[in-house]
Amino acid sequence: MSEALRVVVTGAAGQIGYSLLYSVAKGDVFGANQPIELLLLDIQPMLSVLEGVVMELQDCALPLLREVVATADPMVGFKDVDVAILVGAMPRKEGMERKDLLAANVRIFMTQGQAIDKVAKKTVKVVVVGNPANTNALVTRKYAPSIPPQNFTCLTRLDQNRAQAQISSRLGVSHDKVRNCIIWGNHSSTQFPDVRHAIVNIDGKDIPVPEAVKDDSWLKNEFIKTVQQRGGAVIKARKLSSAMSAAKAICDHMRDWWFGTKGNDWVSMGVPSDGNPYGIPDGLVYSFPVRVKPDHSYEIVSGLPIDDFSREKMDATAKELQEERDMAFAACEA
Ligand code: NAD
Ligand code: LMR
């Protein structure tokens, strides 16, 4: 057995936290031989709730779980962590866009970035889930300048999973038969779910998804809109934002970042853009297709042909991210 991995989950008393912690502690993310020390960070008024979560984790009697620390102090919660899963933030309500949460949430990520900078391991891998996720990741990264920029990511895997599920349902195949769906840009209603380079395996044969679907109009309209607005549809139905599917997507994101992607396949992650290879402005945290190596390093997949339809959609979501960035930085400095 290796040395324990220190993993912090913020917002651990919330609904995503409740769906997520068991999978992380059980070994579904970092592997069946990896002991875990869990740090649960929430705000002071939620500490009594967190106490109940700690009791339940103990009562699961999980062999890999070595220690659980519950705290409202970021300097304790981020101390020496290897992995930071930043969920803690206000969720949106029906009728809101995710960027409407900027004012309420951005300072949480400023404070947590500062704490990560001071006390986390310099190799810490950060995934931001709290909305607006891309811009919150950008803010966290800005306030943690001693950590390599590429260690800050945001979750768009839920959107990728949604796209994959829409395509597999349409084609009547199981979800694992569809791969290489791409989410470009912001985890918002401007995101561009793109299956032009995706593959479906039917009867043992790999086929490009557009060829299998045979309905370009559906792919360009209804499919894109359904994925873009799925979070809102869940809120309308549940009166709460997605939690089970979000927790599952966090596990998928972290597992692939930890162990690497399979073969030549890719997954979508919000990562800092360096302006290449698709001309997305430098510095934005933008969702790209990435390939991850077993040493946890990743590369944006380059060389995918981008037609006019895609270009327009990729630029529109980048523009929204630039606007969010400007609002967020102004709010941090206010
Ligand atoms: P929730 O309200 O159930 O839980 C949020 C928790 O965060 C609460 O326990 C709250 O006390 C805590 N919190 C607030 N401020 C904090 C701080 N400064 N430090 C630590 N904890 C703090 O919400 P939820 O449903 O778990 O959702 C959490 C966030 O995740 C929301 O912003 C939601 O919009 C977002 N989300 C993102 C995705 C995605 O795909 N990126 C998917 C689902 C939800
Ligand atoms: C989601 O995509 O389900 C989350 O980001 C929650 C939301 O506000 O839609």
Side-chain angles (χ1 to χ4, degrees):
M1 284 251 174
S2 38
E3 205 180 307
L5 202 66
R6 284 172 67 79
V7 179
V8 60
V9 176
T10 74
Q15 50 151 6
I16 294 178
Y18 197 74
S19 287
L20 173 69
L21 293 169
Y22 173 69
S23 300
V24 173
K26 178 169 162 282
D28 290 349
V29 180
F30 301 104
N33 293 313
Q34 177 58 65
I36 301 283
E37 287 173 13
L38 265 183
L39 296 107
L40 311 184
L41 180 69
D42 211 292
I43 50 174
Q44 196 71 34
M46 295 303 283
L47 283 186
S48 57
V49 175
L50 216 44
E51 214 175 288
V53 176
V54 174
M55 284 188 242
E56 284 210 63
L57 278 167
Q58 286 167 345
D59 297 347
C60 288
L62 296 165
L64 294 174
L65 189 57
R66 291 297 148 82
E67 195 188 354
V68 186
V69 174
T71 181
D73 180 353
M75 301 302 270
V76 174
F78 290 110
K79 180 76 182 147
D80 292 332
V81 291
D82 299 283
V83 173
I85 304 176
L86 307 190
V87 179
M90 186 197 280
R92 68 173 164 150
K93 307 275 179 323
E94 203 173 332
M96 291 169 84
E97 284 296 329
R98 296 181 186 95
K99 65 184 164 200
D100 298 335
L101 295 168
L102 259 181
N105 287 342
V106 80
R107 294 184 77 83
I108 296 176
F109 294 88
M110 182 178 99
T111 309
Q112 293 184 353
Q114 288 164 335
I116 289 170
D117 198 51
K118 287 203 182 87
V119 298
K121 286 198 180 131
K122 297 301 171 200
T123 52
V124 64
K125 310 278 179 286
V126 181
V127 56
V128 175
V129 179
N131 279 317
N134 301 55
T135 299
N136 288 336
L138 182 64
V139 168
T140 313
R141 173 197 157 186
K142 177 177 157 81
Y143 286 93
S146 68
I147 313 283
Q150 66 271 21
N151 292 20
F152 295 87
T153 66
C154 83
L155 187 75
T156 55
R157 184 60 170 265
L158 177 53
D159 308 291
Q160 179 193 310
N161 289 349
R162 287 167 172 164
Q164 192 175 332
Q166 289 298 313
I167 296 294
S168 47
S169 303
R170 172 94 180 184
L171 294 174
V173 299
S174 65
H175 300 316
D176 58 324
K177 300 290 182 207
V178 178
R179 52 192 216 273
N180 290 357
C181 298
I182 301 174
I183 303 300
W184 300 98
N186 201 0
H187 173 63
S188 78
S189 52
T190 68
Q191 67 178 264
F192 173 34
D194 177 8
V195 292
R196 285 151 181 248
H197 315 284
I199 301 285
V200 57
N201 188 283
I202 299 180
D203 298 332
K205 203 172 154 221
D206 279 349
I207 304 173
V209 163
E211 207 177 286
V213 170
K214 293 192 195 76
D215 188 342
D216 214 34
S217 168
W218 181 80
L219 283 177
K220 278 186 163 161
N221 296 290
E222 200 181 323
F223 162 73
I224 292 181
K225 207 164 163 202
T226 300
V227 178
Q228 285 176 332
Q229 298 189 353
R230 189 67 160 189
V234 171
I235 292 172
K236 193 157 186 278
R238 239 169 65 84
K239 312 293 172 221
L240 284 171
S241 69
S242 62
M244 175 173 52
S245 55
K248 194 291 184 163
I250 295 167
C251 294
D252 291 344
H253 175 113
M254 261 334 296
R255 191 189 313 105
D256 285 342
W257 195 359
W258 206 252
F259 290 108
T261 43
K262 290 189 199 91
N264 220 25
D265 288 353
W266 57 68
V267 294
S268 292
M269 283 170 41
V271 302
S273 172
D274 63 0
N276 292 306
Y278 299 103
I280 301 303
D282 190 11
L284 294 180
V285 174
Y286 188 98
S287 180
F288 288 104
V290 300
R291 287 197 187 94
V292 190
K293 295 189 191 136
D295 68 357
H296 320 311
S297 66
Y298 62 80
E299 269 178 13
I300 296 171
V301 175
S302 59
L304 296 173
I306 306 297
D307 62 11
D308 291 348
F309 178 84
S310 305
R311 186 76 256 169
E312 195 187 311
K313 296 223 165 314
M314 287 162 70
D315 288 346
T317 190
K319 185 165 174 282
E320 181 183 50
L321 280 170
Q322 286 173 296
E323 289 160 6
E324 283 187 19
R325 175 198 58 198
D326 296 346
M327 280 192 281
F329 287 179
C332 289
E333 277 149 28

